[in-house]
């Protein structure tokens, strides 16, 4: 394959280093902040399987992205572990030269069964979403009555399969799971795993987001400081979204993702590919650019590469820096469609 290699840089000087690939729009959870049941009910029309990018198509696009500077790929969804044979996709991607970081975000519900196969296929890192250790709170947040014990079993299985420094994502919603902040930190410090507390975001247009529901990162930090004592630590990469901290007693690290109160658009180097091949240049985009059609029309790698360069070149997104009461109401792409 001959893909012209060059680093893609957008109109704000931001390189393209990070790609999130959604492998399905389906999920077995109905987290109230992401896929509220009232919208994603029985009648909701998910994509037909023929609409999804095949593993061959995903690999081909991944190679083109990597030739343009992408170093990190995160597989996501919907719930990525619902995609049959996901370990085969992992093996294909893990074998691509130039990809330094391959990871996956999952709700953990199927991880106990799949952790070993994913690890054996070459997956290097994993993030598990877990909003509470309190079973009642967790069941209410996933809204399908899924028990927290099974997600914890998934994390154990991942650990046993050799995944280290597992990241645990917790979306904090005012009045719902604030009490889980200290609980989660206590449970995972000393294990080598890293909990990341995420401000609840106005993604999509179905979750009824209100600024009042956001617990600011500063408040999360105050709670953890009061309980354990914490110190900031230096970021690894400029484009890292989480601010990193360590517990004062040296028992480990945690992160805080302040996407609402301290936006990080200036360093945003992420593209997102939906499961049917639409490329989104921002988490809050209203439209995506179709890459599946050119693939299926038989366009060459060089033609698709040129399309990608064109899309990234004009990118000017900085939604979070410009967020206003009006933009919050725009019909944005759903998080479950592009995977966060
Ligand atoms: N289903 C998988 C999972 O939950 O990990 C992967 C897809 S999910 C869309 C990716 C991440 O987005 C999860 O960690 C989830 O908690 C987060 N997320 C979803 N909706 C969010 C929102 N409104 N604000 C902040 N984070 C959100
Ligand atoms: Fe599903 Fe993940 Fe969205 Fe929850 S956050 S509904 S697990 S896609
Ligand atoms: Fe990147 Fe868009 Fe989020 Fe800003 S709002 S950090 S441009 S995804």
């Amino acid at each position: 394959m001959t893909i012209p290699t060059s680093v893609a840089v957008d109109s704000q000087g931001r390189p393209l280093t990070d790609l999130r690939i959604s492998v399905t729009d389906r999920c077995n959870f109905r987290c109230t902040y992401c896929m509220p049941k009232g919208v994603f009910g029985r009648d909701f029309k998910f994509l037909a399987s023929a609409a999804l990018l095949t593993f061959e198509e995903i690999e081909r696009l991944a190679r083109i992205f990597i030739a343009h500077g992408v170093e990190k790929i995160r597989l996501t969804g919907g719930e990525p572990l619902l995609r049959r044979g996901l370990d085969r996709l992992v093996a294909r991607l893990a074998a691509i030269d130039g990809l330094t970081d391959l990871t996956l975000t999952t709700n953990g519900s199927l991880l106990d069964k799949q952790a070993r196969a994913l690890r054996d296929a070459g997956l290097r890192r994993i993030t598990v979403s877990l909003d509470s250790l309190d079973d009642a709170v967790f069941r209410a947040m996933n809204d399908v009555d899924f028990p927290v014990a099974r997600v914890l079993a998934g994390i154990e299985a991942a650990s046993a399969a050799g995944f280290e420094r597992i990241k645990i994502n917790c979306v904090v919603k005012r009045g719902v799971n604030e009490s889980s902040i200290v609980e989660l930190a206590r449970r995972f410090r000393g294990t080598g795993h890293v909990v990341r507390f995420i401000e609840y975001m106005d993604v999509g247009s179905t979750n009824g987001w209100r600024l009042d529901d956001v617990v600011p990162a500063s408040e999360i930090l105050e709670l953890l400081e009061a309980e354990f004592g914490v110190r900031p630590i230096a970021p690894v990469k400029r484009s890292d979204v989480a601010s990193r901290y360590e517990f004062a007693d040296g028992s480990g690290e945690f992160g805080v993702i302040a996407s609402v109160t301290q936006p990080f658009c200036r360093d945003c180097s992420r593209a997102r590919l939906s499961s049917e091949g639409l490329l989104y240049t921002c988490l809050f985009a209203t439209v995506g650019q179709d890459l599946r059609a050119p693939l299926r029309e038989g366009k060459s790698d060089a033609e698709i590469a040129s399309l990608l360069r064109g899309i990234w070149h004009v990118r000017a997104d900085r939604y979070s820096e410009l967020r206003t009461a009006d933009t919050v109401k725009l019909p944005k792409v759903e998080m479950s469609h592009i995977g966060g």
Side-chain angles (χ1 to χ4, degrees):
M1 171 164 43
T2 49
I3 307 167
T5 309
S6 66
V7 174
V9 177
D10 76 6
S11 70
Q12 313 290 304
R14 299 170 296 189
L16 169 58
T17 60
D18 206 312
L19 176 65
R20 302 197 155 207
I21 304 177
S22 170
V23 294
T24 177
D25 60 336
R26 290 167 199 259
C27 188
N28 54 344
F29 283 12
R30 286 293 177 273
C31 303
T32 50
Y33 53 71
C34 178
M35 295 179 81
K37 259 186 190 162
V39 178
F40 296 88
R42 267 174 220 277
D43 299 335
F44 187 83
K45 293 262 176 302
F46 289 100
L47 294 168
S49 47
L52 302 181
L53 293 179
T54 64
F55 290 168
E56 289 77 6
E57 289 169 334
I58 293 175
E59 180 190 341
R60 199 173 148 205
L61 287 178
R63 286 183 185 279
I64 296 172
F65 275 86
I66 290 165
H68 287 81
V70 164
E71 298 165 346
K72 172 174 176 182
I73 289 183
R74 178 176 296 277
L75 298 176
T76 177
E79 174 44 42
L81 270 51
L82 289 178
R83 179 81 186 250
R84 200 167 307 146
L86 187 68
D87 55 319
R88 286 188 282 113
L89 175 64
V90 166
R92 280 172 176 267
L93 297 177
I96 304 177
D97 280 342
L99 184 64
T100 53
D101 195 359
L102 176 61
T103 182
L104 171 137
T105 305
T106 172
N107 63 24
S109 59
L110 303 167
L111 199 52
D112 52 347
K113 301 196 181 57
Q114 296 188 32
R116 174 71 59 188
L118 291 168
R119 178 74 192 167
D120 290 348
L123 189 67
R124 294 164 206 162
R125 298 196 304 117
I126 203 157
T127 299
V128 180
S129 301
L130 175 59
D131 298 325
S132 183
L133 289 172
D134 180 311
D135 196 48
V137 173
F138 186 67
R139 286 176 193 254
M141 286 183 86
N142 64 54
D143 211 12
V144 292
D145 214 24
F146 196 89
V148 72
R150 287 191 41 207
V151 176
L152 292 171
I155 295 172
E156 280 302 310
S159 200
F163 287 100
E164 290 169 7
R165 284 176 62 78
I166 296 170
K167 285 188 182 151
I168 316 282
N169 274 2
C170 168
V171 175
V172 185
K173 201 170 167 192
R174 173 81 68 205
V176 178
N177 65 335
E178 289 140 300
S179 60
S180 307
I181 297 170
V182 167
E183 254 178 23
L184 279 163
R186 182 168 292 118
R187 167 81 180 225
F188 289 106
R189 72 195 190 122
T191 63
H193 306 330
V194 179
V195 184
R196 297 169 349 140
F197 299 98
I198 306 175
E199 287 179 350
Y200 170 44
M201 290 186 281
D202 51 324
V203 280
S205 31
T206 60
N207 63 9
W209 184 88
R210 294 176 325 134
L211 189 56
D212 291 353
D213 294 332
V214 179
V215 180
S218 55
E219 197 177 317
I220 297 173
L221 215 49
E222 273 165 31
L223 278 171
L224 293 169
E225 163 63 21
E227 189 71 23
F228 306 108
V230 304
R231 287 191 291 260
I233 41 182
V236 178
K237 278 195 302 178
R238 223 182 124 176
S239 58
D240 281 350
V241 295
S243 305
R244 299 169 63 210
Y245 295 86
E246 63 185 0
F247 298 105
D249 67 358
S251 60
E253 172 182 338
F254 67 93
V256 182
I257 305 184
S259 0
V260 178
T261 60
Q262 294 158 49
F264 31 74
C265 302
R266 202 163 304 144
D267 295 319
C268 180
S269 51
R270 273 182 195 177
R272 297 172 160 87
L273 188 63
S274 74
S275 52
E276 82 273 49
L278 296 173
L279 180 65
Y280 290 88
T281 56
C282 176
L283 180 54
F284 299 89
T286 49
V287 285
Q289 317 257 359
D290 189 4
L291 295 184
R292 186 188 63 191
L295 278 174
R296 294 192 180 170
E297 282 159 10
K299 294 277 191 276
S300 68
D301 285 346
E303 285 170 308
I304 295 171
S306 155
L307 194 63
L308 167 62
R309 281 195 299 275
I311 295 168
W312 196 261
H313 186 65
V314 297
R315 174 182 188 251
D317 306 282
R318 43 194 205 99
Y319 175 90
S320 290
E321 287 180 353
L322 306 173
R323 179 184 282 110
T324 64
D326 286 338
T327 59
V328 166
K329 289 187 219 123
L330 289 173
K332 297 165 296 230
V333 61
E334 293 300 322
M335 188 83 146
S336 56
H337 205 70
I338 51 170

